[in-house]
């Protein structure tokens, strides 16, 4: 018994002589927190127009420099026009013949009609003359349509820019046969890149978050959109830098995609220096709310116990105090505390598994990276 008591006394003495546990701490802060969502998308032109050949033939000339800006109406390509010129001449000849036939039938009808009135010719002869004149007039209209079609096909041999924009690399060079598969049919693409568009998709949860914001601003009111003020959008490029111009949502799908569970939108951004090109990777950032005077702590300062969240704070006597908290949204590496903290507390960020309420500790301040 004496030996056991001596051992216990020695153990208590050793425990009492152990130094307080050293823990890393940081200060809770109170600040305004912007709530944002980020979406991944791809840039497209405001108009991306495929330059398509509408007739078959050999490409004769290419009248532009690839990767440059062209104006609406500028000549882009020419296709060998000789077959279409010959077709036009043939159609014009058929029209001339039809016009001659019409003139003859009109003359015959003009001669027979007075004779029919005095019964010099039969009613059958008159009816035949009337029918022939009507057929001749129809033949002229058909020939005129053939001439018009031939002129249209001939005009297709000269391909002009339909819009102002940036033209890309050609898919056919002069001398190639174009207009019929497997030969090129789409020769190029012309893009209007100012403004530039970004097409992106968001999850159903993100859609609901943004939709509630729009409803608050009247964005779903079909009758009165005067109070519609959706948030400005920030465009983040592949190098992590922000585009100098803010954008806005200009188009959206009519439904959630049931296969992917996403909602597709398009945003428009001014592109005055033409730096942005179609096909670029882009991230869209939208701020939908601003929390004023929110209490913010690092996420790693929070532990979860059976669905409840707890933070260990250190008081002025360097003793540990357990605080149950309710959490708000995550902000990068931080989290907003809706209730439980006043924003003046010092919270433990490392060593949480070793501390207990009431324990004496040695707090060591640490700089925590902001999210």
């Amino acid at each position: 018994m004496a030996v056991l008591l001596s051992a216990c006394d020695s153990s208590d003495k050793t425990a009492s002589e152990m130094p307080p546990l050293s823990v890393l701490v940081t200060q809770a802060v109170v600040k305004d927190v912007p709530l944002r969502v980020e979406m991944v998308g791809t840039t497209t032109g405001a108009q991306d127009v495929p330059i398509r050949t509408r007739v078959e033939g050999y490409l004769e000339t290419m009248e532009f420099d690839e990767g440059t800006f062209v104006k609406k109406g500028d000549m882009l390509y020419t296709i060998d026009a000789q077959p279409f010129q010959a077709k036009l001449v043939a159609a014009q000849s058929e029209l001339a013949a039809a016009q001659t036939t019409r003139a003859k039938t009109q003359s015959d009808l003009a001669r027979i009609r007075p004779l029919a009135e005095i019964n010099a010719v039969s009613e059958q002869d008159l009816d035949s003359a009337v029918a022939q004149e009507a057929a001749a007039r129809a033949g002229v209209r058909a020939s005129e349509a053939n001439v018009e079609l031939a002129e249209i096909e001939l005009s297709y041999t000269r391909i002009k820019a339909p819009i102002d924009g940036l033209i890309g690399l050609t898919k056919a060079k002069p001398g190639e046969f174009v207009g019929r598969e497997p030969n090129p049919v789409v020769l190029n693409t012309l893009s209007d890149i100012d403004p530039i568009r970004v097409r992106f998709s968001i999850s159903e949860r993100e859609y609901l978050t943004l939709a509630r914001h729009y409803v608050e601003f009247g964005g779903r009111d079909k009758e009165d959109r005067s109070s519609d003020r959706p948030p400005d959008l920030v465009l983040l490029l592949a190098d992590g830098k922000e585009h100098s111009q803010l954008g806005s949502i200009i188009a959206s799908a009519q439904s959630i995609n049931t296969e992917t569970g996403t909602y597709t939108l398009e945003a428009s951004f001014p592109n005055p220096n033409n730096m942005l090109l179609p096909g670029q990777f882009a991230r869209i950032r939208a701020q939908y709310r601003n929390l004023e005077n929110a209490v913010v702590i690092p996420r790693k300062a929070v532990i979860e116990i059976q669905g409840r969240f707890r933070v260990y704070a250190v008081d002025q006597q360097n003793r540990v105090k357990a605080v149950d908290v309710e959490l708000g949204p995550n902000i990068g590496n931080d989290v907003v505390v809706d209730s439980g903290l006043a924003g003046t507390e010092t919270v433990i960020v490392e060593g949480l598994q070793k501390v207990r309420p009431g324990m004496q500790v040695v707090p060591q301040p640490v700089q925590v990276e902001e999210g």
Side-chain angles (χ1 to χ4, degrees):
M1 181 63 71
V3 172
L4 291 174
L5 291 174
S6 175
C8 291
D9 181 65
S10 176
S11 177
D12 292 341
K13 183 177 180 181
T14 302
S16 64
E17 292 177 354
M18 290 180 62
L21 179 66
S22 180
V23 294
L24 298 181
V25 300
T26 191
Q27 189 72 28
V29 297
V30 177
K31 62 180 182 180
D32 292 345
V33 177
L35 299 184
R36 304 175 177 134
V37 293
E38 285 194 3
M39 299 77 71
V40 176
T42 304
T43 58
T44 66
Q47 293 186 77
D48 291 324
V49 181
I51 306 302
R52 189 184 305 270
T53 175
R54 301 176 68 175
V55 293
E56 301 176 4
Y58 287 94
L59 198 62
E60 282 194 333
T61 63
M62 187 177 77
E63 306 288 344
F64 62 92
D65 294 326
E66 297 166 287
T68 61
F69 285 89
V70 297
K71 294 290 187 180
K72 180 178 180 180
D74 286 354
M75 186 66 64
L76 301 179
Y77 298 95
T78 61
I79 296 173
D80 180 17
Q82 289 184 357
F84 303 97
Q85 290 172 339
K87 187 175 181 179
L88 175 59
V89 171
Q92 290 171 337
S93 298
E94 292 176 0
L95 174 60
Q99 289 172 336
T100 299
T101 301
R102 181 185 62 182
K104 180 180 181 304
T105 58
Q106 287 176 340
S107 177
D108 291 344
L109 180 60
R111 185 176 63 255
I112 292 176
R113 194 184 297 278
L115 296 175
E117 292 177 356
I118 61 175
N119 296 321
V121 296
S122 66
E123 288 292 330
Q124 183 178 359
D125 291 336
L126 177 61
D127 293 342
S128 176
V130 171
Q132 289 176 358
E133 192 273 339
R137 281 190 287 109
V140 169
R141 289 197 295 270
S143 297
E144 289 173 342
N146 289 335
V147 169
E148 185 177 357
L149 178 60
E151 289 174 342
I152 292 173
E153 290 181 343
L154 179 60
S155 70
Y156 288 160
T157 63
R158 298 170 61 83
I159 303 174
K160 299 181 180 181
I163 61 170
D164 296 347
L166 177 66
I167 195 162
L169 298 173
T170 186
K171 296 180 181 178
K173 297 290 186 179
E176 293 186 55
F177 190 85
V178 297
R180 184 201 309 162
E181 299 290 352
N183 303 90
V185 176
V186 176
L187 305 180
N188 214 316
T189 301
L190 183 60
S191 297
D192 178 7
I193 60 173
D194 185 19
I196 197 83
R197 286 192 176 194
V198 180
R199 176 171 291 189
F200 57 95
S201 296
I202 59 176
S203 67
E204 188 172 351
R205 176 173 294 187
E206 290 170 333
Y207 161 73
L208 291 173
T209 298
L210 293 177
R212 288 191 180 97
H213 174 83
Y214 293 153
V215 169
E216 290 177 4
F217 283 97
R220 294 289 181 183
D221 187 350
K222 296 182 179 179
E223 296 181 357
D224 180 11
R225 302 181 64 88
S226 60
S227 59
D228 186 4
R229 183 63 178 89
D232 291 326
L233 303 180
V234 176
L235 176 59
L236 303 174
L237 304 177
D239 59 2
K241 296 183 179 179
E242 294 184 2
H243 181 50
S244 59
Q245 304 288 329
L246 297 177
S248 59
I249 294 174
I250 59 171
S252 62
Q254 91 288 358
S255 63
I256 302 291
N257 187 317
T258 56
E259 295 181 358
T260 62
T262 57
Y263 186 62
T264 301
L265 303 104
E266 280 193 1
S268 177
F269 291 84
N271 188 27
N273 56 7
N274 298 316
M275 183 185 72
L276 302 180
L277 300 174
Q280 286 183 258
F281 168 83
R283 285 185 295 133
I284 301 294
R285 176 185 294 163
Q287 179 177 327
Y288 61 91
R289 189 181 173 191
N290 189 58
L291 296 179
E292 297 181 352
N293 299 322
V295 178
V296 180
I297 62 173
R299 281 191 294 175
K300 61 182 180 178
V302 181
I303 61 174
E304 184 176 358
I305 303 175
Q306 296 180 346
R308 301 177 64 183
F309 298 100
R310 176 173 293 179
V311 171
Y312 287 116
V314 178
D315 62 17
Q316 294 182 350
Q317 288 74 40
N318 292 337
R319 292 191 178 277
V320 177
K321 177 183 178 182
V323 182
D324 291 332
V325 295
E326 293 184 4
L327 301 182
N330 293 323
I331 311 296
N333 296 324
D334 298 333
V335 64
V336 174
V337 178
D338 285 341
S339 65
L341 297 180
T344 58
E345 295 84 356
T346 300
V347 297
I348 299 174
V349 294
E350 290 190 18
L352 297 172
Q353 292 76 17
K354 301 177 182 179
V355 299
R356 297 292 181 271
M359 179 184 293
Q360 190 82 24
V361 294
V362 178
Q364 300 290 335
V366 62
Q367 185 68 29
V368 178
E369 291 186 12
E370 294 187 2

